[in-house]
């Protein structure tokens, strides 16, 4: 009998340990940092497919979007932050809605690399913050204008990568040097763009695209305007939500700021150690 009680006690202690571990992990992810894999090339060359980073949730305070999402397509699991914490979400049907609120809220800075929830699909996106509330944003011949002033852009040569499937999805890059074969060099024009507050970052250009020339986007109060650094291969705030883009992003949909790449793998799996990019480990995001 004593032996049976000892086994039951051991099982109970194991269960408690697992529960405590899950609670601690959930608290860590909700309040401090959220892991994030880069799935696409929209932020090249700042972020590459296969980069792994932690999103700093403390940077801008907390909203419903700070709650974790659990998505396991193979098992049909799709639980969003609004399922966990939707009670804290603002009423977007209200005419008085202006982007929602945050607890201990801080304002993001222009040029920050930010993870946010897509206002419609709820999927996590990562882009660079370009437009603040009240800003006028426009593209003219591929050049970014903020409040009717052009950003400073300096040529930085050519960004090169191998034309081959990238990441778990096997995505192939787009090239400015035309159609190239597998294993060939894929090129894009590389520039350094300086935003009005002095933030410098790389941008890539493939060629003339639809969103190289746009109308003026006036960012509403409580909303933000985001763009990918790989300008010609990014679905972002230049494209409306009705067309599958991001549109303006409410303040409360922001998850946090990306500060540093922790790990990077160019292969279809992080277990393929021969594809690890050691030069990107702990790389600061600028």
């Amino acid at each position: 009998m004593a032996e049976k009680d000892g086994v039951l006690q051991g099982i109970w202690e194991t269960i408690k340990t697992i529960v405590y571990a899950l609670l601690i992990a959930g608290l860590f992810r909700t309040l401090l940092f959220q892991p994030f894999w880069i799935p696409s090339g929209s932020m090249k060359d700042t972020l590459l497919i296969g980069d792994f980073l932690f999103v700093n949730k403390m940077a801008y305070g907390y909203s419903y979007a700070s709650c974790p999402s659990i998505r396991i397509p193979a098992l049909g699991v799709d639980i969003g932050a609004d399922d966990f914490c939707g009670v804290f979400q603002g009423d977007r049907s209200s005419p008085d809605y202006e982007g929602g609120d945050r607890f201990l809220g801080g304002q993001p800075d222009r040029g920050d690399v930010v993870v946010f929830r897509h206002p419609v699909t709820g999927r996590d996106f990562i882009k660079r913050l370009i437009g603040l509330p009240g800003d006028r944003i426009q593209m003219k011949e591929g050049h970014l204008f903020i409040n009717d002033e052009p950003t400073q852009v300096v040529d930085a040569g050519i960004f090169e990568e191998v034309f081959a499937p990238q990441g778990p999805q096997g995505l192939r890059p787009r090239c400015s040097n035309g159609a190239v074969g597998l294993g060939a060099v894929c090129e894009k024009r590389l520039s350094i763009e300086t935003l009005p507050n002095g933030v410098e970052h790389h941008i890539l250009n493939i060629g003339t695209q639809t969103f190289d020339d746009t109308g003026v986007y006036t960012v509403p109060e409580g909303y933000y305007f985001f763009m990918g650094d790989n300008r010609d291969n990014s679905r972002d705030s230049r494209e409306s939500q009705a067309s599958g883009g991001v549109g303006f992003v409410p303040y409360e949909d922001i998850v946090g700021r990306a500060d540093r790449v922790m790990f990077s793998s160019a292969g279809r799996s992080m277990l393929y150690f021969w594809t690890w990019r050691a030069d990107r480990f702990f790389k600061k995001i600028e």
Side-chain angles (χ1 to χ4, degrees):
M1 189 68 174
E3 182 177 348
K4 183 178 180 181
D5 289 343
V7 171
L8 292 176
Q9 182 67 24
I11 294 174
W12 175 240
E13 291 298 326
T14 300
I15 293 174
K16 286 198 299 182
T17 299
I18 293 173
V19 170
Y20 291 153
L22 291 174
L23 288 174
I24 293 172
L27 188 65
F28 179 88
R29 180 169 177 178
T30 300
L31 298 181
L32 302 178
F33 299 97
Q34 174 177 317
F36 190 85
W37 283 97
I38 303 301
S40 74
S42 69
M43 281 295 292
K44 290 178 181 177
D45 70 337
T46 304
L47 297 170
L48 303 181
I49 295 176
D51 281 351
F52 174 79
L53 50 89
F54 283 105
V55 180
N56 181 358
K57 290 191 172 183
M58 299 175 286
Y60 312 127
Y62 305 94
S63 72
Y64 86 96
S66 303
C67 289
S69 299
I70 302 175
R71 291 189 169 91
I72 310 175
L75 301 178
V77 177
D78 189 353
I79 304 174
D82 52 341
D83 294 314
F84 284 116
C85 300
V87 66
F88 301 112
Q89 191 173 7
D91 181 6
R92 303 191 185 192
S93 64
S94 169
D96 299 324
Y97 179 80
E98 290 188 344
D101 297 318
R102 306 184 73 85
F103 175 66
L104 301 176
Q107 296 299 319
D109 294 322
R110 194 192 313 275
D112 285 355
V113 176
V114 177
V115 171
F116 57 89
R117 298 185 77 241
H118 189 287
V120 175
T121 68
R123 295 294 191 266
D124 287 341
F125 274 54
I126 185 166
K127 306 288 181 184
R128 189 176 298 275
L129 176 55
I130 297 297
L132 304 174
D135 280 346
R136 290 163 51 85
I137 308 296
Q138 186 175 18
M139 296 293 293
K140 297 180 181 180
E141 297 182 350
H143 200 127
L144 172 64
F145 283 68
I146 299 177
N147 295 323
D148 306 316
E149 295 293 330
T151 55
Q152 178 184 335
V153 178
V154 178
D155 181 70
I158 299 294
F159 170 75
E160 296 182 349
E161 59 185 334
V162 176
F163 184 77
Q166 299 178 351
Q169 300 178 56
L171 301 178
R172 299 185 182 186
R174 296 175 61 200
C175 315
S176 63
N177 55 328
V180 299
L182 285 175
V185 175
C186 175
E187 298 180 350
K188 298 176 183 64
R189 292 196 297 278
L190 176 67
S191 302
I192 298 173
E193 181 177 75
T194 303
L195 300 176
N197 59 346
V199 173
E200 295 183 351
H201 63 100
H202 285 172
I203 57 173
L204 299 182
N205 189 350
I206 299 171
T208 303
Q209 307 289 324
T210 302
F211 289 102
D212 283 348
D213 290 279
T214 71
V216 175
Y217 305 93
T218 300
V219 186
E221 200 61 38
Y223 289 77
Y224 295 87
F225 190 97
F226 292 91
M227 293 175 64
D229 290 348
N230 190 359
R231 291 282 164 82
D232 294 337
N233 195 35
S234 173
R235 305 196 75 171
D236 47 43
S237 292
R238 292 172 291 176
E239 189 174 1
S240 70
Q241 295 164 9
S243 301
V246 171
F248 300 123
V249 177
Y251 181 45
E252 66 176 351
D253 279 355
I254 290 175
V255 176
R257 186 180 64 217
D259 294 324
R260 193 174 296 273
V261 174
M262 304 303 294
F263 171 83
S264 185
S265 172
R268 297 183 68 90
S269 170
M270 63 176 294
L271 300 178
Y272 297 171
F273 64 88
W274 57 91
T275 66
W276 291 357
R277 306 183 185 105
D279 61 322
R280 297 187 64 79
F281 290 9
F282 310 110
K283 180 180 176 63
K284 185 178 179 181
I285 298 172
E286 296 177 324

